[in-house]
Amino acid sequence: MAKIAVLPGDGIGAEIVPPAVEALKAVGRKYGHNFEFTTGLIGGAAYDETGHPLPEETLNLCRESDAVLLGAVGGPRWEHLPVHLRPEVGALLPLRKQLGLYANLRPVRVFPQLAGASSLKTELVSGLDMLIVRELTGGLYFGEKKKEPIAGGYRVIDTLVYTTPEIDRVARLAFELAQKRSGKLTSVDKANVLESSRHWREHVQSLAPEYPRVELSHMYVDNCAMQLVREPKQFDVMVTENMFGDILTDLAAQLTGSIGMLPSASIGGEVALYEPIHGSAPDIAGKDLANPLATILSAAMMLRVTFNMEREAAEIEQAVTAVLEKGYRTGDIMQPGMKQVGTGRMGELVLEQILG
Ligand code: NAD
């Protein structure tokens, strides 16, 4: 029996997670796997119910599970709370830290049916298939923060901290992934300005002789943002620190047509966590407008990465491709001549496709 913790969270989380769970159940039935799902509270929803965005019970549920499926957390309702009780800082970051999830894998793949939905010219994105490895438990998001009153206002401080072992483990993972793909790795930093980036670059470079089949290059993050828009297909595997990865993957998402298409896997600890890269999208929450495909594709990543079920993962991905091929689109990837459907219907279509 495989135990899966399900954390829908806030905003569109409650709409996009159920279709992904249904897809997992369908694949389970089809291939004779016994998945057990237990739902837990996280984010603003958990704060409202228990007074904390990451209740101990949720953390224990994750630790006792084989994998975690997360929707998204956050929203304007909880923005007024003290920082440590806000869904992102109080739940998401500590959950990643507590589970030891130091690497976030974000595949950026353009489905052929959606090449025209990208804001870039079709020829620039068509066939794009890259992997961004984002460091997830260090850097600016986890360094010491301060807000001190001074004459005329405040002095506000965020600290960017990395240790050699933190860089080492994520860089090695990226080298290994690059070895399994085309053998091309780009490490992204800001070594011309930041001390942490200079050490990042030196250390990543020092590992290169151990991976002779990988062609390593380095790029400054500002240039990288430009290159992703100018010629995205020059990249295969990219590795970068936490905040750079956060920003660059939102940019890269748009190459695929929509942020609603990008899944992710956070790995490194005993239990891996799977979630779409987008947030809780409060602007469209509760309106049956959200694209559930990023979450459904995150479920496929779970099957592949945690459960080593390649055939089952491919079954979900093929179902998504088939539904797109039939012309169904949620609003975010809608194009002229296609059939627009809501979140629920898109989920049903994928399910029908899996069940044949
Ligand atoms: P967002 O990703 O929630 O939304 C950005 C834009 O993309 C919005 O216009 C939204 O409608 C659209 N969008 C996002 N997901 C979509 C989907 N599946 N289908 C169609 N459209 C989609 O980012 P934001 O607006 O900056 O943040 C909203 C809240 O989410 C904030 O509270 C933020 O802190 C939180 N957040 C959470 C996570 C997470 O839980 N992992 C990640 C990012 C942001």
Side-chain angles (χ1 to χ4, degrees):
M1 158 128 49
K3 291 167 101 179
I4 300 172
V6 179
L7 312 178
D10 306 319
I12 59 172
E15 298 166 78
I16 54 171
V17 167
V21 171
E22 288 309 313
L24 286 169
K25 282 184 184 164
V27 164
R29 276 199 300 278
K30 196 161 175 177
Y31 291 92
H33 304 302
N34 195 359
F35 296 131
E36 183 192 87
F37 299 92
T38 310
T39 302
L41 285 167
I42 192 165
Y47 174 80
D48 290 347
E49 192 91 1
T50 69
H52 199 281
L54 182 61
E56 203 54 35
E57 207 183 331
T58 299
L59 200 50
N60 289 338
L61 168 67
C62 294
R63 287 195 176 118
E64 288 157 12
S65 300
D66 297 302
V68 181
L69 181 66
L70 175 74
V73 300
R77 258 178 69 194
W78 303 284
E79 271 165 15
H80 64 280
L81 290 172
V83 176
H84 70 284
L85 291 177
R86 287 188 205 159
E88 301 81 353
V89 179
L92 206 52
L93 299 189
L95 179 64
R96 291 169 177 166
K97 193 84 173 176
Q98 295 278 345
L99 295 180
L101 306 173
Y102 66 80
N104 185 224
L105 312 186
R106 299 186 160 188
V108 182
R109 190 176 145 220
V110 174
F111 283 79
Q113 299 79 5
L114 294 185
S118 169
S119 39
L120 292 196
K121 290 183 203 123
T122 306
E123 63 268 26
L124 282 179
V125 294
S126 158
L128 176 68
D129 178 6
M130 63 177 291
L131 175 67
I132 302 184
V133 182
R134 168 187 169 195
E135 200 291 326
L136 203 59
T137 51
L140 263 183
Y141 293 179
F142 285 90
E144 195 189 339
K145 300 169 197 315
K146 262 195 211 154
K147 185 173 181 180
E148 303 165 342
I150 55 161
Y154 290 95
R155 183 164 179 264
V156 284
I157 304 170
D158 286 289
T159 328
L160 205 177
V161 183
Y162 270 111
T163 63
T164 309
E166 283 172 335
I167 299 167
D168 189 82
R169 61 189 181 182
V170 74
R172 285 184 184 280
L173 177 72
F175 272 110
E176 279 154 26
L177 290 166
Q179 234 165 218
K180 289 189 195 146
R181 292 172 53 106
S182 76
K184 209 170 158 205
L185 175 63
T186 310
S187 174
V188 176
D189 60 41
K190 188 70 185 166
N192 49 345
V193 177
L194 300 175
E195 193 56 43
S196 56
S197 276
R198 268 191 289 278
H199 186 59
W200 176 287
R201 185 177 284 220
E202 275 165 24
H203 190 70
V204 173
Q205 186 59 47
S206 76
L207 298 177
E210 293 182 46
Y211 302 91
R213 296 210 324 273
V214 177
E215 184 198 324
L216 171 70
S217 60
H218 302 273
M219 194 177 272
Y220 296 137
V221 62
D222 37 0
N223 181 26
C224 181
M226 181 180 76
Q227 295 297 337
L228 272 169
V229 179
R230 193 184 75 86
E231 197 195 337
K233 282 187 269 185
Q234 68 184 282
F235 298 108
D236 185 32
V237 179
M238 184 184 285
V239 62
T240 190
E241 73 95 41
N242 202 343
M243 187 179 72
F244 297 160
D246 192 8
I247 297 170
L248 291 176
T249 48
D250 263 35
L251 187 159
Q254 203 51 48
L255 306 176
T256 71
S258 165
I259 197 164
M261 291 302 300
L262 246 67
S264 85
S266 301
I267 62 169
E270 279 178 21
V271 184
L273 183 146
Y274 299 85
E275 58 175 321
I277 81 149
H278 57 72
S280 58
D283 53 335
I284 56 168
K287 297 180 180 164
D288 196 38
L289 286 174
N291 184 345
L293 295 180
T295 319
I296 292 173
L297 293 167
S298 301
M301 285 188 87
M302 175 191 290
L303 292 175
R304 178 172 292 120
V305 177
T306 290
F307 299 118
N308 215 4
M309 296 178 183
E310 177 55 43
R311 196 181 43 165
E312 293 83 339
E315 174 94 33
I316 292 185
E317 289 162 353
Q318 281 155 15
V320 169
T321 306
V323 169
L324 294 173
E325 184 62 35
K326 288 179 181 169
Y328 294 105
R329 304 282 188 272
T330 42
D332 56 319
I333 47 174
M334 185 58 190
Q335 290 169 275
M338 298 293 139
K339 295 168 262 193
Q340 186 160 347
V341 292
T343 314
R345 183 67 192 130
M346 184 56 105
E348 284 168 12
L349 286 162
V350 174
L351 198 61
E352 286 163 15
Q353 198 64 43
I354 295 170
L355 296 173

